[in-house]
Amino acid sequence: MPLDQDFDNAEQDEEDGEVGKEMSFIGHLEELRWHVIRAVGSIFVFAIIAFIYIQEIYQYVIIAPAKTGFWTYRMLCKLSVVVGYDDLCIKALNFQLQAMGLGDNFTMSMTSSIIAGLVFAFPYAFWEVWRFIKPGLKASERRSARGAVFYVTFLFFSGVLFGYYIVTPLAINFLANFTLDPSIINQFSITSYISLVATLTLACGVAFQLPIVVFVLSKVGILTPSFMREYRKHSMIVILILAAVITPSPDIYSQIIVAIPLFILFEISILVSARVEREKLREEQSLTKSSGI
């Protein structure tokens, strides 16, 4: 028997052993505790590394969207030339950042380090959670969920990048240039600014998990591809409203920039749901044939 086939059989036997192994309730809690400890520990490790380089992180990452030289603003200015809409180009951000409290700088450096640790440790933390969940799944469910860590991580970082480079700059531009009277000077606390950046960035990372959510709901029979196709037009309206809420800027171009990735995610979710439905049909057909024999 070839060596690679021996390895595959051994790996399959190991997975079957994990699935077949029974544990008490206390045993499951103990195993879950260690998975959580390792996941939280990885977050703190990355948070410590981020704290060491916190000044560089502030200068090149956190404060960057508050400057007109940011990549997104430069691309919008180029886009404004192409479409002939000059208002799309962001030439000034009329606000100043201030540390209002005595310990704001230190507090925000700690908070930013933890947020950075959460983002960078996400793949490993989710992998630890997946290691706890996976043995409890059936063989067919494990086959269907193959590559779950990769897809969840890819979608999360795609959402984080989308939130950081698209949603956050558009929101900052609108809020910074919105004034009730020209005599009013916008002076925002660093706490408020970081809260906005972190909320929008992480929220987009979570929102981009839509295909994963649809996969789970389709597996349990709550969602079907026919249902999603039937309400596709309704979903477009909801996405446009969501894009308008995410980007307070009144220009239609900014809303379209935000809405396009959400449309793509919805279409991908339909394909995911259709794949789940096909797998269910194949399993039902195989069970019917086996019972007929």
Side-chain angles (χ1 to χ4, degrees):
M1 183 179 294
L3 182 61
D4 57 348
Q5 189 173 352
D6 288 339
F7 177 78
D8 292 340
N9 291 336
E11 187 179 31
Q12 182 64 41
D13 292 340
E14 183 180 352
E15 289 185 356
D16 293 340
E18 289 181 356
V19 175
K21 183 171 62 176
E22 292 185 0
M23 295 179 62
S24 64
F25 178 72
I26 300 299
H28 280 294
L29 287 180
E30 179 67 15
E31 185 178 0
L32 175 61
R33 184 172 74 92
W34 282 108
H35 283 298
V36 172
I37 288 174
R38 286 192 291 267
V40 174
S42 67
I43 295 174
F44 277 102
V45 168
F46 279 98
I48 292 172
I49 296 173
F51 186 77
I52 295 173
Y53 297 98
I54 194 62
Q55 291 185 345
E56 289 79 7
I57 292 174
Y58 260 82
Q59 181 178 357
Y60 298 110
V61 179
I62 297 177
I63 303 297
K67 302 175 182 178
T68 54
F70 189 55
W71 179 85
T72 304
Y73 302 138
R74 290 187 280 110
M75 293 302 105
L76 287 175
C77 287
K78 292 181 179 180
L79 181 61
S80 67
V81 175
V82 175
V83 300
Y85 185 64
D86 188 61
D87 290 342
L88 195 61
C89 182
I90 299 170
K91 300 176 181 178
L93 294 170
N94 300 317
F95 73 99
Q96 296 176 348
L97 290 177
Q98 291 186 339
M100 307 300 291
L102 185 63
D104 278 2
N105 279 320
F106 179 75
T107 302
M108 284 300 99
S109 65
M110 294 290 292
T111 303
S112 302
S113 299
I114 294 174
I115 294 173
L118 175 63
V119 172
F120 288 107
F122 179 84
Y124 178 80
F126 179 77
W127 180 67
E128 285 289 347
V129 174
W130 178 245
R131 285 179 60 198
F132 176 76
I133 296 174
K134 186 178 178 180
L137 300 178
K138 298 178 181 178
S140 60
E141 293 173 338
R142 285 189 284 119
R143 285 194 299 269
S144 300
R146 187 172 298 168
V149 176
F150 169 78
Y151 291 116
V152 169
T153 301
F154 174 76
L155 290 171
F156 176 77
F157 280 113
S158 297
V160 167
L161 291 175
F162 177 73
Y164 177 73
Y165 281 104
I166 304 299
V167 178
T168 298
L170 295 176
I172 290 175
N173 170 59
F174 174 78
L175 296 173
N177 292 302
F178 181 83
T179 56
L180 297 175
D181 187 87
S183 62
I184 299 175
I185 300 176
N186 285 332
Q187 294 179 335
F188 305 132
S189 67
I190 188 64
T191 304
S192 175
Y193 174 82
I194 293 177
S195 176
L196 176 70
V197 174
T199 300
L200 292 178
T201 302
L202 295 178
C204 288
V206 174
F208 268 54
Q209 300 299 319
L210 176 62
I212 305 299
V213 175
V214 169
F215 172 81
V216 174
L217 294 179
S218 298
K219 290 293 286 185
V220 299
I222 296 177
L223 274 181
T224 61
S226 58
F227 176 84
M228 297 182 70
R229 292 189 185 101
E230 181 181 355
Y231 289 94
R232 179 185 275 124
K233 294 181 180 179
H234 301 78
S235 67
M236 289 182 178
I237 296 174
V238 173
I239 288 174
L240 287 173
I241 294 174
L242 182 62
V245 172
I246 293 176
T247 56
S249 179
D251 66 273
I252 189 64
Y253 293 105
S254 299
Q255 296 174 12
I256 291 175
I257 290 173
V258 173
I260 287 176
L262 299 179
F263 283 130
I264 295 173
L265 278 176
F266 184 81
E267 293 299 324
I268 293 175
S269 299
I270 294 178
L271 297 177
V272 169
S273 182
R275 178 186 174 185
V276 172
E277 188 176 60
R278 287 195 300 269
E279 290 179 352
K280 284 184 177 180
L281 289 174
R282 282 198 295 266
E283 290 177 2
E284 291 175 359
Q285 291 174 356
S286 63
L287 288 175
T288 303
K289 291 180 181 179
S290 61
S291 61
I293 295 174

